[in-house]
Amino acid sequence: MEPPIIVEVLDRFGKIRERHRVGEFPCRIGRGYHNEIILDDPYVSVSHAELILDGSNNLILNDTGSDNGIYNTHPVERIDTVMVQDNQRVRIGHTDLRFRSPHFAVKATIRERARPHGATAQLGLVLLLPLVWLLVAAILLWNTYLEQAIIEVTFGQVLYKTLPFLIFLPLWAFVWSIVSKIVTHRFYYRQHAIWVSGIFITIYLFELALQYAEFMSAIDGLSDRVTLFSDVVFVAVLFYGHLNYSTTYSRRKAAMIGLIVAVLLTFTIQLSSFLGQAEFTNTPQFSGLLKPPVFVLREGKSIETFFTDSAALRKFDYVDDAVTTE
Amino acid sequence: MLSRLFHSMLRLCCIIACLLGSSTPGRAVETQAVFSQYKDRLLQIRVVDASTSAQSTLGSGFFVDKLGTIITNYHVISKHIFNPQQYRIEYVMHDGQVHPARLVNIDVIHDLAVLDGPQVSTPHLELASNDISKGERIYTLGNPLDLGMTIVESTYNGLTDDTMHERIMLSGALNPGMSGGPSLTQTGLVVGVNVAATGNNIGFLVPVKFLKKLLDAHPKSDHKDLLAEVRRQLLANQDDYMHALLAKPFAKKILGDYNVPDKLAGFLNCWGDSDQENKPYRGSSTFCAIKNDIFLNHRFSTGEIRYSHHYFNGERMNTFRFYQVLQQYFANPGVVLSGGKEDVTEYNCHGDFVKHAALQLKVEFCVREYKQFRGIYDAMLTAATLTEDHQGLVTTLVLGGVSYDNAVAFGKAYLETFAWNHP
């Protein structure tokens, strides 16, 4: 390598913390304040290493008597002196140094996401939010009306029960807008409110569809099993969206992180509920879903066939001191 | 004439004297005499916890032969049968002597137990061989609330009507601790063994005929034998009443527009109710249950038969909302049977659509097995009609301590009774 060079100081995860343009030699590296490159790492000696040019204008890195030495990273081996190559990486103490030429090509600039522009886009957003909120309110009111089926209720009573959640949704959107303002310097309340409401509507309709699917198929536990999978997808999409919007991660990286977090989160929640379910219960657990007769799409079995299909119920596996002799 | 008058007055005085002689103080003397005569045959039965050496259960008992054979209730010694290492049985005689006892036989259906102790040549009670009449005076002995041996004068009221297992009903103050003690005629013959009380001076005895049958049965050699006997008795008992119930078509009645099973046997108690206050629908319910069940241990009883029907008419309701009502009853049948993790498994359930007699139903059938008595199950069947948009029925059946085959046979007969009565 020929001078000038760029010395990158990396953290343990490979992220660049500092860059130093080095044109004059020798360039001393260490923890002491007399060095040209000062490293804040307690495992680096006061005078640790130096960069020099030899007679052939090659860049040489020398160990100047350090306590912990200099290590090449690929392969990992201790070195006292090395001719520095372009993109070479060495470890000094717990700090990595990487050497680049000034011609090193950096990534392309990331264009800032354009604000919605034009009257149509602005108008669309303005009208869309109240429509979405009306839809959410209608869903919540209908759901509460159904849940209160065993008593006479007035519209006022249903509205009263639904009000806390109707207030919660816009507040939740507000909180996320503040987070967005901190991270990306954009508040975007309307967009967040539409997203939060949209996610709520999607989840509600999806769970409703699952309930009807479980009822129509008469497969006990169908919605629980599908929900387990869909929870992972929802959370992964949520994390991917946020990472993609607020960080410079590539789409692939954002997707991987989203998926890993979603799997871990869902697993932790399922484990907690599984441990709760491990408690013995004296009540039968079954799908008690009932929907109007129009959703019964297939003919019922005969009573005989139903009990024949139930034959496996009598088999229980457990270790005990059971008495079986007559 | 004077002598005739004198003799009439003398007769009158004798009659008055007799009448006075048969009043309360005389009866008290009899009661005292019965107690004095038979108290040496009475025992307090204790189940002692081995780790603390403290009494865990108390009851009463009595010698029934000169070899020292002792009678008490099964429920008094039930802890020993399930955990013989942890609990031992001993008995206390009228003079305070304490002796160990060995469990020899049990009748879990009639709540009786036979013990054997080291005492021989003991005075004992004789068993009555003839029935006595309703209204006769009997004497109930025992150790209520660990307060000492007592005697209670009671009135014999004959056998209970319409119970699954015969019991003698008496009017007298039976208290906890008197379980297992004898009830005697005036001549000291045992007519029954104290078993239960409802309060309000109503008590129950196990008739002596069941005691005789138990004493004639072959004694059991060890703990495993006794548990096997419990299992055998439970299976035989449920076979008997199930065959009787299934021998004829189920009685039906009309609820709304539906035919539903009615009272299926005399030993079931049935009630009905309607509920329309502050509700958007009209509802009627009926509920039937057996009057007594079988005690297995302090956390576990079995032998239940109960079923309920809930009819709903929601003409003014939206169909989705109406079926939400049905769903609340269908998903929460309120079935909570006794038994802990050591006694029973969790339920296994199977659900599907069933079609019968123009009725479309959603049916769930759940069973759980008894861990210490394999082949014996608790079963639950719940069904909801799915035929009309504004009318529906939810029914729940619970059977405790039955074989799987009997649970299925009864479940089939139960469902086959339902029909839609709509013209």
Side-chain angles (χ1 to χ4, degrees):
Chain A
M1 279 179 83
E2 285 184 1
I5 61 163
I6 308 299
V7 177
E8 293 175 341
V9 180
L10 312 176
D11 65 17
R12 62 177 66 237
F13 301 110
K15 197 167 169 61
I16 300 172
R17 290 210 318 253
E18 298 164 12
R19 292 181 181 83
H20 299 271
R21 191 181 185 85
V22 178
E24 290 181 10
F25 299 90
C27 172
R28 293 165 294 181
I29 304 169
R31 195 157 40 86
Y33 276 48
H34 63 281
N35 293 287
E36 279 71 40
I37 296 177
I38 303 167
L39 299 178
D40 188 19
D41 180 346
Y43 293 90
V44 170
S45 299
V46 172
S47 292
H48 202 108
E50 68 175 0
L51 278 164
I52 60 170
L53 281 175
D54 67 5
S56 307
N57 222 28
N58 293 315
L59 195 60
I60 308 294
L61 178 68
N62 289 326
D63 188 331
T64 54
S66 68
D67 292 308
N68 294 322
I70 301 173
Y71 287 82
N72 206 16
T73 55
H74 292 100
V76 177
E77 57 185 9
R78 185 164 178 160
I79 46 177
D80 289 326
T81 183
V82 68
M83 187 161 70
V84 176
Q85 305 295 329
D86 196 8
N87 295 322
Q88 184 168 1
R89 189 161 159 173
V90 299
R91 185 157 297 148
I92 292 180
H94 283 193
T95 304
D96 282 12
L97 298 179
R98 186 164 59 202
F99 303 95
R100 302 264 206 218
S101 92
H103 308 297
F104 175 72
V106 295
K107 288 181 188 172
T109 310
I110 297 175
R111 287 185 177 276
E112 184 61 87
R113 281 171 184 75
R115 280 177 164 275
H117 60 279
T120 310
Q122 292 285 349
L123 191 63
L125 276 177
V126 167
L127 280 185
L128 187 57
L129 181 56
L131 279 174
V132 166
W133 270 356
L134 270 175
L135 185 56
V136 167
I139 287 172
L140 288 171
L141 287 168
W142 172 250
N143 201 54
T144 308
Y145 182 59
L146 278 187
E147 283 177 355
Q148 303 295 312
I150 60 167
I151 54 172
E152 289 278 15
V153 287
T154 62
F155 177 74
Q157 286 168 324
V158 172
L159 182 63
Y160 177 74
K161 284 191 184 300
T162 314
L163 214 50
F165 204 63
L166 281 173
I167 295 169
F168 172 77
L169 269 181
L171 276 178
W172 184 246
F174 182 74
V175 166
W176 279 109
S177 301
I178 291 176
V179 173
S180 170
K181 178 72 176 174
I182 293 168
V183 175
T184 67
H185 311 290
R186 301 282 167 88
F187 194 63
Y188 281 159
Y189 178 75
R190 259 204 306 269
Q191 285 82 351
H192 276 98
I194 291 170
W195 266 107
V196 167
S197 305
I199 289 169
F200 167 78
I201 293 168
T202 306
I203 291 174
Y204 177 83
L205 292 175
F206 183 72
E207 286 189 356
L208 195 66
L210 274 182
Q211 279 187 13
Y212 277 83
E214 180 169 326
F215 172 73
M216 289 189 283
S217 66
I219 299 176
D220 276 7
L222 173 69
S223 65
D224 284 344
R225 278 174 255 161
V226 174
T227 302
L228 186 64
F229 174 72
S230 67
D231 281 353
V232 173
V233 171
F234 271 128
V235 174
V237 166
L238 213 61
F239 268 87
Y240 166 77
H242 280 84
L243 288 172
N244 198 39
Y245 179 77
S246 55
T247 69
T248 56
Y249 293 161
S250 65
R251 285 180 191 251
R252 192 178 167 195
K253 188 171 180 179
M256 281 304 300
I257 294 173
L259 189 62
I260 291 168
V261 169
V263 167
L264 286 174
L265 203 60
T266 309
F267 175 74
T268 308
I269 292 168
Q270 290 296 323
L271 188 64
S272 315
S273 62
F274 175 75
L275 289 174
Q277 282 173 5
E279 252 180 66
F280 176 79
T281 174
N282 250 335
T283 53
Q285 306 293 312
F286 59 92
S287 166
L289 290 172
L290 279 185
K291 301 299 175 195
V294 70
F295 293 99
V296 181
L297 300 181
R298 57 181 173 87
E299 191 83 347
K301 298 176 179 176
S302 67
I303 293 173
E304 186 69 42
T305 308
F306 174 79
F307 281 104
T308 305
D309 292 347
S310 303
L313 293 183
R314 69 194 302 175
K315 300 277 189 279
F316 290 89
D317 296 318
Y318 53 90
V319 177
D320 67 310
D321 295 323
V323 175
T324 53
T325 54
E326 293 292 331
Chain B
M1 184 175 140
L2 274 176
S3 65
R4 204 179 293 155
L5 181 62
F6 175 74
H7 281 117
S8 298
M9 285 184 68
L10 190 60
R11 254 202 308 275
L12 184 63
C13 288
C14 284
I15 289 167
I16 291 169
C18 285
L19 283 172
L20 285 174
S22 66
S23 66
T24 309
R27 281 173 65 167
V29 170
E30 280 184 29
T31 308
Q32 191 180 10
V34 167
F35 184 72
S36 298
Q37 190 172 359
Y38 300 111
K39 68 180 179 187
D40 57 350
R41 295 131 219 243
L42 299 175
L43 306 164
Q44 185 190 59
I45 307 296
R46 290 182 194 165
V47 171
V48 177
D49 175 40
S51 45
T52 60
S53 296
Q55 60 200 21
S56 177
T57 322
L58 283 179
S60 304
F62 57 95
F63 288 117
V64 79
D65 63 28
K66 62 183 176 191
L67 299 176
T69 305
I70 298 163
I71 298 298
T72 184
N73 281 148
Y74 164 87
H75 75 259
V76 172
I77 53 83
S78 63
K79 280 185 178 177
H80 170 79
I81 203 172
F82 285 92
N83 203 340
Q85 310 304 325
Q86 185 62 30
Y87 299 101
R88 64 174 191 272
I89 306 173
E90 54 188 38
Y91 63 92
V92 184
M93 298 180 63
H94 72 283
D95 55 6
Q97 287 184 59
V98 181
H99 298 283
R102 184 174 67 93
L103 181 60
V104 167
N105 217 338
I106 44 90
D107 180 347
V108 70
I109 307 301
H110 299 291
D111 200 357
L112 294 171
V114 180
L115 309 174
D116 201 13
Q119 288 289 102
V120 292
S121 299
T122 55
H124 59 277
L125 293 170
E126 299 287 342
L127 306 181
S129 50
N130 297 318
D131 291 339
I132 63 173
S133 308
K134 239 184 195 176
E136 268 199 50
R137 196 182 320 152
I138 55 175
Y139 300 93
T140 302
L141 295 99
N143 194 330
L145 307 170
D146 198 17
L147 295 173
M149 283 298 173
T150 60
I151 183 167
V152 173
E153 195 179 312
S154 314
T155 305
Y156 177 85
N157 285 317
L159 295 174
T160 49
D161 292 331
D162 291 335
T163 50
M164 186 182 275
H165 306 112
E166 281 182 1
R167 294 286 181 266
I168 293 169
M169 192 164 64
L170 56 85
S171 306
L174 242 63
N175 286 301
M178 295 180 79
S179 294
S183 286
L184 312 177
T185 63
Q186 291 177 55
T187 53
L189 297 175
V190 179
V191 294
V193 178
N194 310 335
V195 71
T198 62
N200 298 320
N201 274 346
I202 305 269
F204 298 96
L205 314 175
V206 179
V208 71
K209 68 178 182 185
F210 298 115
L211 176 53
K212 287 181 184 173
K213 197 173 165 189
L214 181 61
L215 287 168
D216 288 341
H218 193 72
K220 303 296 172 281
S221 54
D222 62 16
H223 163 69
K224 271 200 178 304
D225 249 2
L226 286 163
L227 284 177
E229 180 62 14
V230 171
R231 180 178 179 273
R232 189 197 67 75
Q233 289 175 4
L234 290 174
L235 282 172
N237 178 63
Q238 60 88 39
D239 257 346
D240 285 342
Y241 69 73
M242 278 294 184
H243 285 146
L245 287 170
L246 293 168
K248 50 187 192 297
F250 282 6
K252 300 180 214 191
K253 68 174 180 187
I254 293 174
L255 187 63
D257 278 352
Y258 302 93
N259 281 348
V260 301
D262 197 3
K263 185 168 174 172
L264 300 178
F267 55 72
L268 288 162
N269 265 344
C270 292
W271 303 268
D273 201 4
S274 296
D275 185 12
Q276 281 146 55
E277 279 185 25
N278 196 33
K279 292 194 191 310
Y281 56 88
R282 286 184 286 120
S284 310
S285 303
T286 66
F287 175 72
C288 294
I290 192 168
K291 285 177 198 164
N292 51 14
D293 51 26
I294 301 165
F295 180 93
L296 283 182
N297 61 48
H298 61 281
R299 58 175 183 266
F300 191 24
S301 294
T302 186
E304 293 86 351
I305 303 174
R306 46 187 153 106
Y307 50 94
S308 60
H309 315 301
H310 301 280
Y311 167 75
F312 304 95
N313 187 313
E315 283 159 347
R316 296 181 291 123
M317 288 181 84
N318 171 282
T319 305
F320 290 92
R321 201 158 175 250
F322 178 69
Y323 272 86
Q324 193 71 16
V325 173
L326 259 62
Q327 179 176 292
Q328 290 200 19
Y329 280 81
F330 180 69
N332 304 291
V335 172
V336 183
L337 297 179
S338 66
K341 194 175 172 181
E342 308 84 349
D343 305 306
V344 288
T345 65
E346 303 260 7
Y347 283 93
N348 277 351
C349 292
H350 167 65
D352 211 334
F353 296 111
V354 170
K355 185 108 188 252
H356 172 73
L359 267 182
Q360 182 84 296
L361 302 164
K362 178 78 192 292
V363 180
E364 285 282 346
F365 181 54
C366 301
V367 295
R368 65 178 187 179
E369 193 173 18
Y370 288 14
K371 285 185 173 178
Q372 292 194 297
F373 307 110
R374 296 204 84 156
I376 300 181
Y377 299 81
D378 289 336
M380 184 213 72
L381 182 78
T382 186
T385 60
L386 290 167
T387 310
E388 290 189 272
D389 287 342
H390 299 282
Q391 232 189 139
L393 185 79
V394 177
T395 185
T396 304
L397 164 71
V398 175
L399 301 170
V402 294
S403 66
Y404 185 83
D405 292 339
N406 276 336
V408 167
F410 196 96
K412 282 183 191 171
Y414 187 80
L415 284 180
E416 281 165 2
T417 312
F418 286 89
W420 191 19
N421 221 21
H422 194 68

